Amino acid sequence: MVSRRYLSSLKNKLSSGPWRKSCQPGTHPGPGTQEPEEKKIVQELLETEKAYVARLHLLDQVFFQELLREARGSKAFPEDVVRLIFSNISSIYQFHAQFFLPELQRRLDSWTATPRIGDVIQKLAPFLKMYSEYVKNFERAVELLATWTEKSTPFQEVITRIQSSEASGSLTLQHHMLEPVQRIPRYELLLKEYVQKLPAQAPDRADAQKALDMIFSAAQHSNAAVTEMERLQDLWDVYQRLGLEDDIVDPSNTLLREGPVLKISFRRSDPMERYLFLFNNMLLYCIPKVIQVGAQFQVRTRIDVAGMKVRELTDAEFPHSFLVSGKQRTLELQARSQEEMISWIQSCQAAIDQIEKRNETFKAAVQGPEGDTQEQELQSEELGLRAPQWVRDKMVTMCMRCQEPFNALTRRRHHCRACGYVVCARCSDYRAELQYNDNRPSRVCFHCYTFLTGSVLPEDKEDKRRGILEKVSATGSEQSLMCSFLQLVGDKWGKSGPRGWCVIPRDDPLVLYVYAAPQDMRAHTSVPLLGYQVTAGTQADPRVFQLQQSGQLYTFKAETEELRDRWVKAMERAASGWSPRGPSDEDLSD
């Protein structure tokens, strides 16, 4: 945790700036003489640069090289660890020792003939961006240093020996490593003071001001690197608490807010404890783990901020509640106080506004009154595009479509996945693809089915339940346990034709549907297979098999005996009441 303390203080130092150690020049003017103020500042710059280069020499030529030598000799710790700790310190040392310090010394020696420093600083400024790499790596370097000091005795002995030397000045390696991070703000302060002391008509004023601007840009670059490093560390801490799931780990994310909330259930009367993480691009709805080994939270739902909406709910039973509506899911949440609820709403709305502004598609959020008219219009426009707000079960006693009362046995409650209404089985016996649910067919009421599919229900079906054995052919064929063409033998089939497309759907595994063609929208015959006796083959034609029960007899003929065997097996399973438990169960389709 040493690096975290360094970072917290360092960021304040880089931002505020009113800090600088007093440093006395190496020589003092004699009595009766008065050095120009700007020359005194240049002398201070030179003296501090000499001390800084000495510190860089200690880091690069002593600590770095001694540790490398020990790593190569003893093999007690990896060379790569040493290189990671010191980052690009060698490049920084060579630049200052071989270029910048000699340039400063020459300029001060010839100050009488060339009283200017701005041009030298301008040559320095572009190279200062190499500090960004060092600053970004600083926290990781300090952590590695602490880890290997504790882990490796030879590593610790080398560092302790150098730290106790006179060159180290009784200071730790961590202290020396902080010097390059602090150096750029120090240049900025000295040069700012130099510009202020220059006479108005000084020949160096224009160059010095330009140099100051360039140093300021480099300082901002360094400060931004510290801020970015802190952001990445905070982000990594959050990802570890979430279990490092691949689909949420993204270094470009920014954590905006986190905290506990209560989830209002549409079935249960008591709210459930949950936890939210709001990032710049997503809201994670999580469940705290009881046994917090590794991850502390389990992510239940990810809601994209793009397209998300948030608003306060007026609910006497659940005060401080608010609604988060996204493409993936809609949540009714309760905060612990009115202030916390407002803060969550403002944080979510700020993230939404930022996304919309970045995408240049900003639109004012439609947040009408609690009345149903505007809300229903909004739902109609976005039906199937986002998860609806589900009406709670206890809020209704009858179907919201046909107004028939609910009961526990024959008329149970269901939710339309498109509008969120509580409806009966008769009014929700339809399926439509919903975009927010990855276009998977989902249970919807007949109003939403008509709106989403554009299909107009026949007049005799609008107010009457669709036939329970009727099935759309395309759906049955694509998600079937068994399907193929079969010859329809005998007078039982009437005018349906000599051949039919036969399907046992996966989601209705106890019924056989017979279509005139695979693309037909309706089956012309449906046979409930439960209790039927299946007879396979005759000597006259082994490809024939029959279904028989209570005077009902259906005769089929397959194209091959192998296909007949698969049909017989599928029908025997259905006749015995067998149903698949999952998508991995055996599929006998042709």
Side-chain angles (χ1 to χ4, degrees):
M1 298 305 296
V2 175
S3 60
R4 301 297 290 179
R5 291 198 298 271
Y6 274 134
L7 284 173
S8 60
S9 62
L10 173 61
K11 186 177 179 183
N12 293 332
K13 288 180 179 180
L14 294 178
S15 301
S16 59
W19 63 282
R20 179 159 57 92
K21 296 178 182 178
S22 60
C23 185
Q24 298 298 327
T27 58
H28 299 275
T33 63
Q34 183 67 37
E35 293 280 3
E37 291 293 329
E38 63 269 22
K39 184 178 179 181
K40 291 181 180 179
I41 297 172
V42 175
Q43 289 173 336
E44 182 178 355
L45 176 60
L46 177 62
E47 293 301 320
T48 57
E49 185 68 15
K50 289 178 180 178
Y52 178 56
V53 170
R55 197 66 55 85
L56 290 176
H57 179 274
L58 181 67
L59 282 171
D60 180 50
Q61 298 298 308
V62 182
F63 279 107
F64 185 27
Q65 296 302 326
E66 287 290 330
L67 284 170
L68 272 182
R69 212 167 1 263
E70 181 65 27
R72 291 165 181 164
S74 68
K75 305 295 183 184
F77 49 92
E79 290 184 42
D80 288 345
V81 170
V82 180
R83 299 185 189 281
L84 285 172
I85 290 175
F86 291 93
S87 187
N88 61 336
I89 193 67
S90 296
S91 299
I92 295 174
Y93 169 62
Q94 291 173 11
F95 168 73
H96 285 271
Q98 298 176 15
F99 172 73
F100 190 54
L101 179 58
E103 282 285 317
L104 280 177
Q105 185 67 63
R106 282 193 292 269
R107 184 53 55 89
L108 190 61
D109 292 343
S110 60
W111 187 260
T112 304
T114 315
R116 57 193 308 128
I117 197 69
D119 56 338
V120 176
I121 301 295
Q122 287 184 42
K123 294 178 182 179
L124 160 74
F127 293 94
L128 294 183
K129 291 187 177 179
M130 72 173 69
Y131 278 79
S132 294
E133 180 181 344
Y134 184 89
V135 172
K136 287 181 180 179
N137 185 67
F138 179 74
E139 182 176 7
R140 185 184 182 192
V142 175
E143 290 176 351
L144 284 171
L145 178 61
T147 299
W148 283 95
T149 300
E150 181 180 351
K151 188 175 181 180
S152 172
T153 301
F155 187 93
Q156 182 183 19
E157 289 176 349
V158 172
I159 293 176
T160 303
R161 173 168 51 82
I162 300 174
Q163 286 179 163
S164 60
S165 67
E166 183 180 352
S168 185
S170 301
L171 298 175
T172 64
L173 174 55
Q174 288 95 328
H175 182 95
H176 296 308
M177 290 171 61
L178 189 60
E179 283 287 318
V181 180
Q182 298 173 332
R183 189 57 183 167
I184 296 180
R186 189 166 179 79
Y187 285 136
E188 182 185 3
L189 291 172
L190 286 169
L191 192 57
K192 185 180 295 184
E193 188 176 353
Y194 173 78
V195 172
Q196 291 173 350
K197 299 296 184 182
L198 279 176
Q201 303 302 321
D204 194 26
R205 190 167 188 85
D207 281 342
Q209 184 61 53
K210 184 177 180 181
L212 177 61
D213 294 340
M214 296 173 71
I215 292 291
F216 176 77
S217 176
Q220 292 296 104
H221 203 262
S222 180
N223 193 19
V226 175
T227 303
E228 175 68 6
M229 182 168 53
E230 289 182 328
R231 184 189 70 82
L232 291 174
Q233 180 61 48
D234 293 340
L235 198 62
W236 180 252
D237 292 342
V238 171
Y239 286 154
Q240 287 182 314
R241 293 160 63 195
L242 294 171
L244 299 176
E245 297 189 18
D246 292 340
D247 60 339
I248 64 172
V249 175
D250 187 344
S252 65
N253 290 344
T254 301
L255 179 66
L256 304 179
R257 181 184 175 87
E258 65 171 285
V261 293
L262 294 175
K263 166 67 169 61
I264 302 173
S265 173
F266 61 89
R267 296 195 189 279
R268 297 174 50 176
S269 58
D270 54 324
M272 300 168 288
E273 292 186 3
R274 297 293 184 260
Y275 203 91
L276 299 181
F277 290 91
L278 176 63
F279 294 86
N280 58 306
N281 63 336
M282 62 182 173
L283 177 70
L284 299 182
Y285 169 71
C286 306
I287 296 179
K289 286 190 173 182
V290 178
I291 303 177
Q292 295 187 356
V293 178
Q296 299 177 13
F297 300 95
Q298 178 185 359
V299 179
R300 290 295 301 271
T301 301
R302 166 180 169 164
I303 300 176
D304 293 336
V305 171
M308 189 173 78
K309 296 184 179 180
V310 59
R311 65 178 175 86
E312 182 179 356
L313 292 175
T314 303
D315 194 321
E317 183 179 1
F318 300 104
H320 324 313
S321 58
F322 60 102
L323 179 75
V324 176
S325 175
K327 294 179 180 178
Q328 293 83 2
R329 186 171 178 181
T330 293
L331 302 170
E332 291 185 47
L333 305 171
Q334 184 181 19
R336 292 172 295 187
S337 65
Q338 183 72 10
E339 293 75 17
E340 187 176 273
M341 179 204 69
I342 294 174
S343 180
W344 269 113
I345 292 177
Q346 290 176 344
S347 298
C348 291
Q349 191 60 52
I352 294 169
D353 292 345
Q354 187 63 32
I355 285 285
E356 291 179 340
K357 182 179 180 181
R358 188 180 65 190
N359 295 337
E360 299 181 351
T361 57
F362 179 81
K363 295 180 181 179
V366 180
Q367 297 182 357
E370 293 300 319
D372 293 335
T373 305
Q374 187 170 357
E375 186 70 20
Q376 183 60 40
E377 291 176 358
L378 182 63
Q379 290 183 0
S380 296
E381 294 172 1
E382 301 181 344
L383 206 61
L385 301 181
R386 63 168 64 245
Q389 177 185 2
W390 282 21
V391 178
R392 297 175 213 157
D393 283 3
K394 64 180 181 180
M395 300 300 290
V396 294
T397 60
M398 61 182 65
C399 175
M400 298 177 70
R401 292 303 186 193
C402 68
Q403 285 76 51
E404 291 289 337
F406 291 119
N407 59 64
L409 296 178
T410 60
R411 193 175 297 277
R412 301 177 61 187
R413 290 173 171 83
H414 300 273
H415 275 88
C416 172
R417 269 54 175 180
C419 65
Y421 277 17
V422 182
V423 291
C424 63
R426 169 183 169 183
C427 293
S428 61
D429 192 21
Y430 304 87
R431 289 187 175 272
E433 294 181 355
L434 302 180
Q435 186 173 329
Y436 80 85
N437 198 25
D438 297 329
N439 289 321
R440 289 193 293 264
S442 304
R443 186 177 201 140
V444 296
C445 65
F446 62 86
H447 282 280
C448 294
Y449 175 80
T450 303
F451 181 87
L452 292 168
T453 64
S455 301
V456 179
L457 298 177
E459 292 183 3
D460 60 338
K461 302 290 185 182
E462 288 182 357
D463 298 323
K464 187 176 72 173
R465 181 182 179 182
R466 186 183 54 172
I468 193 170
L469 299 181
E470 294 181 3
K471 204 76 171 176
V472 177
S473 174
T475 301
S477 301
E478 293 169 1
Q479 301 179 359
S480 62
L481 295 173
M482 184 69 191
C483 62
S484 75
F485 279 110
L486 291 175
Q487 296 290 330
L488 310 178
V489 182
D491 298 334
K492 182 69 178 177
W493 301 104
K495 299 180 180 179
S496 58
R499 192 172 75 151
W501 178 255
C502 301
V503 179
I504 300 179
R506 180 174 291 274
D507 62 349
D508 199 0
L510 305 183
V511 180
L512 171 69
Y513 294 89
V514 184
Y515 301 83
Q519 300 302 321
D520 281 357
M521 298 300 293
R522 300 286 178 182
H524 62 69
T525 304
S526 55
V527 182
L529 298 173
L530 189 62
Y532 268 80
Q533 181 180 356
V534 184
T535 304
T538 63
Q539 292 184 352
D541 193 339
R543 297 175 297 171
V544 172
F545 60 99
Q546 294 179 322
L547 287 173
Q548 186 173 3
Q549 182 190 56
S550 303
Q552 296 288 334
L553 179 64
Y554 298 92
T555 304
F556 306 86
K557 181 178 178 181
E559 294 182 0
T560 65
E561 292 184 32
E562 186 270 340
L563 180 59
R564 178 213 62 190
D565 292 339
R566 287 194 285 129
W567 269 109
V568 169
K569 181 178 180 180
M571 289 183 175
E572 286 177 342
R573 292 193 308 187
S576 65
W578 177 90
S579 296
R581 296 183 179 179
S584 60
D585 283 357
E586 185 178 4
D587 186 348
L588 302 175
S589 296
D590 188 14

